[in-house]
Amino acid sequence: MNLQSFLIFAAFTIGLHTLAPTPMRAGVTVGDFDSIKLYTLKNEAGMTVTVTNYGAIITSILVPDREGKFADVALGYHRVEDYINAVDKPYFGAVVGRYANRIAKGKFTIDGETYPLAVNNGANHLHGGAIGFDKVVWDAKPIEGDGWCGVELHYTAKDREEGYPGNLNLKVDYKLTNANELVIDYVATTDKKTPVNLTQHTYFNLRGEGNGTILDHELMINAKQYTPIDESMIPTGELADVGGTPFDFSASKPIGRDISTENEQLKIGLGYDHNFVLAKGADPNAMTLAARLKDPASGRQLEVFTTEPGLQFYSGNFLDGRLIGKSGKPYVQRSGLCLETQHYPDSPNQPAFPSTILSPGDEYRTTTTFKFSAE
């Protein structure tokens, strides 16, 4: 099943779909092959985002550099089989959950009842388990509004799916605006108390996927603290100051500057794979700037805004060249990075962390925006 061979069903064009920009007006096109679909979002500026309803995966993001030249800045594949069968399950471009990141020893307790989860990352549970939201087919439909186009995705996770309690009804909207913003809205409800922590797991390389590493990218993270991890990559519970450490991204710096520093935390993660405590104002749920990423070579810039309290910065440490991307080049170590807006890892077992428990009658609602520009 090749994502490049889906038929386009749209009022204004019929033909074979490719992942490269196609001459079409702004809006949404839909490629269809049985229940798997590919949605192409294009704005008036020419920015193009493709999304498949398998795993709610963003398969490409095409944005211009300072000279107006477009490149795909999201790591991924051309064929859906590669997303399904990839070794090491890198979660390229997917929505991950029911709980993004790790839960210690694959279990948590709510109201005195302990819930065992799938253990798929050493002794721990990672990104929703063996069959998380990244590995299921979502219901989807195109949506459009004033100055934006998008796709609305729905999935219902059943009670005890991957061990979690409660039927979880989930909606994720991807909206591409004419200001080159990709807005991601998450909404969920449940019929039993359950932890919910969702994120978007795109790997970015602003020079273009398959085009070298991200070590020269300059990164700012709006955080004065981070959550150190133990040898199994579970938070110790401490909120540590970033000042005077390799984890200080409060001022923009090249990612490669400190990544090889002799540091126990970097040794455990093989680089950066840590949650940063975002600096928030009086309203902890307000949309705030989380990070700013720049590629000096192309001039491309990505700003991340979120209502979430944390940001997991992952520097592509476990990429090892075995995965071949859309450009036909191997994804070597640090050929992409993730900026995952979320709650803190292992929060269900860490009472001092912001709660991730969703109760019946309440609504999980969060927003993250990726804003692209060029200097």
Side-chain angles (χ1 to χ4, degrees):
M1 189 182 301
N2 193 314
L3 294 182
Q4 289 182 303
S5 65
F6 290 143
L7 286 177
I8 292 174
F9 291 93
F12 44 84
T13 183
I14 297 177
L16 291 179
H17 182 80
T18 68
L19 295 182
T22 55
M24 66 178 198
R25 72 186 189 193
V28 186
T29 62
V30 185
D32 192 358
F33 193 98
D34 296 328
S35 62
I36 305 292
K37 294 181 173 62
L38 188 73
Y39 295 80
T40 300
L41 284 54
K42 187 171 183 178
N43 70 8
E44 293 178 352
M47 178 177 167
T48 306
V49 177
T50 54
V51 178
T52 174
N53 63 325
Y54 176 76
I57 292 171
I58 293 173
T59 63
S60 68
I61 302 174
L62 292 118
V63 292
D65 64 9
R66 64 167 63 93
E67 297 177 353
K69 182 180 178 181
F70 282 81
D72 185 354
V73 299
L75 276 60
Y77 308 111
H78 280 312
R79 303 189 319 145
V80 71
E81 291 96 331
D82 294 328
Y83 287 100
I84 296 170
N85 299 321
V87 296
D88 296 334
K89 303 302 181 188
Y91 304 96
F92 286 148
V95 168
V96 293
R98 182 175 306 197
Y99 198 95
N101 219 307
R102 294 172 176 86
I103 294 178
K105 302 188 187 308
K107 61 182 178 180
F108 60 87
T109 300
I110 297 178
D111 295 338
E113 183 173 355
T114 297
Y115 296 91
L117 306 174
V119 173
N120 62 322
N121 185 245
N124 303 314
H125 175 87
L126 175 68
H127 289 336
I131 304 177
F133 296 165
D134 61 297
K135 300 177 184 72
V136 299
V137 177
W138 298 54
D139 294 327
K141 65 179 182 180
I143 53 175
E144 297 190 60
D146 186 15
W148 61 268
C149 62
V151 57
E152 178 180 302
L153 299 117
H154 292 263
Y155 180 68
T156 299
K158 302 299 184 184
D159 185 25
R160 298 306 178 102
E161 187 171 313
E162 294 298 308
Y164 289 95
N167 294 293
L168 185 75
N169 294 305
L170 176 64
K171 181 172 78 78
V172 176
D173 291 345
Y174 290 121
K175 299 176 181 177
L176 176 63
T177 77
N178 287 329
N180 283 1
E181 299 165 321
L182 179 59
V183 181
I184 308 167
D185 292 321
Y186 307 83
V187 179
T189 57
T190 184
D191 57 7
K192 293 181 182 177
K193 286 185 178 180
T194 188
V196 183
N197 183 34
L198 307 175
T199 196
Q200 220 296 323
H201 207 280
T202 291
Y203 289 66
F204 297 102
N205 185 325
L206 295 184
R207 201 164 300 174
E209 63 85 25
N211 193 5
T213 75
I214 46 78
L215 293 175
D216 291 337
H217 283 40
E218 297 173 356
L219 177 64
M220 184 282 296
I221 300 177
N222 184 20
K224 295 181 180 179
Q225 295 177 310
Y226 77 106
T227 53
I229 53 179
D230 64 20
E231 291 186 355
S232 69
M233 302 188 75
I234 294 295
T236 64
E238 177 188 6
L239 303 184
D241 292 339
V242 300
T245 77
F247 294 85
D248 189 355
F249 287 91
S250 56
S252 184
K253 68 177 182 181
I255 291 168
R257 176 182 294 175
D258 298 324
I259 201 169
S260 298
T261 300
E262 187 65 28
N263 177 276
E264 183 64 21
Q265 287 293 304
L266 292 175
K267 181 179 178 181
I268 293 172
L270 301 181
Y272 298 104
D273 193 1
H274 294 75
N275 169 67
F276 287 76
V277 179
L278 295 176
K280 292 284 189 174
D283 182 0
N285 298 314
M287 182 74 99
T288 54
L289 176 66
R292 181 181 295 112
L293 181 69
K294 297 180 182 179
D295 170 38
S298 67
R300 293 188 184 93
Q301 176 175 278
L302 167 62
E303 292 177 295
V304 183
F305 299 85
T306 189
T307 58
E308 288 290 295
L311 176 81
Q312 184 85 5
F313 168 38
Y314 171 55
S315 53
N317 312 319
F318 297 102
L319 298 174
D320 60 7
R322 288 186 292 169
L323 304 177
I324 306 302
K326 291 171 282 187
S327 60
K329 298 177 183 177
Y331 288 148
V332 299
Q333 188 182 48
R334 315 202 201 292
S335 56
L337 63 88
C338 299
L339 298 170
E340 306 163 50
T341 58
Q342 57 190 258
H343 271 59
Y344 309 164
D346 197 36
S347 290
N349 296 312
Q350 305 262 3
F353 287 177
S355 176
T356 57
I357 302 301
L358 179 66
S359 297
D362 293 337
E363 186 177 70
Y364 173 96
R365 182 179 289 273
T366 184
T367 298
T368 291
T369 295
F370 297 124
K371 180 176 176 59
F372 294 89
S373 59
E375 293 183 344

